[in-house]
Amino acid sequence: MTPRLVDSIVVAFFSTILAVAIAVLAAYALSRMRIKGQHHFVFWILSTRMMPPVAVAIPMFFIYKNFGLLDTHVGIILIHALMNLPLAVLLLKSFFDDIPTEIDEAALIDGASRFLIFRKIVLPMAMGGIAATAVLCFIFSWTEFLFVLTLTQTSLKTVPVVSSTFVTSTGTAWGNMAALGTAAMLPAFVFILLVQKNLVRGLTLGSLKQ
């Protein structure tokens, strides 16, 4: 089961990095910049999360087949990042909204550029929210079943898909399933411990108003 655990860790880690990286930029833009039809755009982002994955699983299979992404780490990382992106954008937007805009305005008056404000001021203040979002994206990717089952064949399987193979017509391999389930909890637990300091800040961000 070691290669399957490695597959799950690689997919969950890199899909989380990709989703959070894109979501940070999109959420900051939605929080700080006024765009025509912004509320409709935010609702559209939310609506993509409401769509059941089974509705796009078969079309994605044919798209991946045409582009040669079936049974590859890159393909699963992309679909998991796409799956987590709406939630990450909405969560991070709420965290950026809780950071006072007066900080941005003061920095603009002092001559700082918008990108410098984002990188040096806003981003460090939102690290707690980013950590909380990363944990959720990691867990959702770690436990995702349908896309991995549909878009992989033999060389790549994650822990949820492998666990389902222990239930057969001749019985259930409870020992193997229990061992794999215990091992599967460790990477997520370690990841949460690594971001624990920022995670606590993220969970309480916005609880106190100025």
Side-chain angles (χ1 to χ4, degrees), residues 90-179:
L90 294 175
L91 280 176
L92 288 173
K93 181 183 180 300
S94 68
F95 290 128
F96 285 132
D97 287 341
D98 289 329
I99 299 176
T101 57
E102 287 81 1
I103 297 176
D104 299 45
E105 295 169 357
L108 287 172
I109 293 174
D110 290 337
S113 65
R114 179 65 71 177
F115 180 74
L116 185 63
I117 295 171
F118 168 72
R119 186 167 62 91
K120 292 290 188 179
I121 301 175
V122 178
L123 197 60
M125 295 180 66
M127 284 306 297
I130 294 173
T133 304
V135 167
L136 290 177
C137 290
F138 186 91
I139 292 174
F140 286 149
S141 177
W142 184 263
T143 58
E144 199 279 323
F145 177 82
L146 180 63
F147 285 128
V148 178
L149 180 66
T150 306
L151 303 177
T152 61
Q153 296 173 344
T154 56
S155 62
L156 193 160
K157 294 292 182 184
T158 57
V159 169
V161 176
V162 175
S163 298
S164 66
T165 62
F166 293 140
V167 181
T168 64
S169 58
T170 58
T172 302
W174 293 108
N176 294 338
M177 187 177 293

